Amino acid sequence: MTNQIQQIALRWFDAFNTKNLEKLLALYDDEAQHYSPKLKIRQPETNGLIIGKEAMRNWWQDAFDRLPTLQYKVTSLTANSDRVFMEYTRQVQGEEDMLVAEVLEIKDGQIVFSRVYHG
């Protein structure tokens, strides 16, 4: 099971780095929740939390449009039976690299909750 959870994380990175929004969203449950400090800043009305694929679609499409050079470089994956803790470096041309940690909670093979932490 741990290997399957890690595979979801690797597919997540591949979809994100290739800007394949449909592949990224396919990893999520329809009612999944996503929390990010960047959401809190860019969309204060969300208090950092969005729910559902449509909200995620809008959020990530905006990020892909604003930051065409955005890439995530995996530094560590730690998984158990229902979650994976991902550490990665956020890289954008012209910006300082940012250390990021993110937890994906998995149920029935799909992400149901994701939380981002910036270092």
Side-chain angles (χ1 to χ4, degrees):
M1 183 59 116
T2 300
N3 190 44
Q4 290 175 329
I5 301 293
Q6 284 185 327
Q7 289 304 310
I8 290 170
L10 293 173
R11 289 196 311 269
W12 186 93
F13 280 108
D14 178 62
F16 210 101
N17 286 333
T18 59
K19 314 288 188 285
N20 189 326
L21 192 52
E22 295 310 313
K23 277 176 83 172
L24 182 62
L25 290 169
L27 298 171
Y28 284 81
D29 180 81
D30 288 341
E31 298 303 315
Q33 299 180 26
H34 176 71
Y35 175 83
S36 169
K38 291 226 181 251
L39 263 164
K40 209 173 202 177
I41 294 166
R42 292 197 56 83
Q43 297 178 13
E45 69 282 3
T46 67
N47 204 28
L49 181 70
I50 53 177
I51 300 170
K53 285 186 179 182
E54 196 56 34
M56 288 183 227
R57 175 187 308 280
N58 294 336
W59 173 243
W60 286 318
Q61 186 63 63
D62 177 63
F64 294 159
D65 292 345
R66 281 183 299 106
L67 306 166
T69 63
L70 176 64
Q71 289 288 291
Y72 291 155
K73 182 179 175 188
V74 182
T75 56
S76 176
L77 294 176
T78 305
N80 64 22
S81 63
D82 64 352
R83 69 179 49 96
V84 59
F85 184 82
M86 311 184 306
E87 293 176 273
Y88 54 93
T89 304
R90 176 189 181 272
Q91 299 174 320
V92 175
Q93 214 169 37
E95 292 185 16
E96 191 173 324
D97 287 357
M98 178 186 291
L99 299 176
V100 181
E102 185 160 352
V103 178
L104 304 178
E105 293 184 20
I106 314 293
K107 184 177 179 186
D108 299 326
Q110 290 199 300
I111 302 165
V112 294
F113 195 85
S114 51
R115 260 176 272 143
V116 179
Y117 305 90
H118 296 142

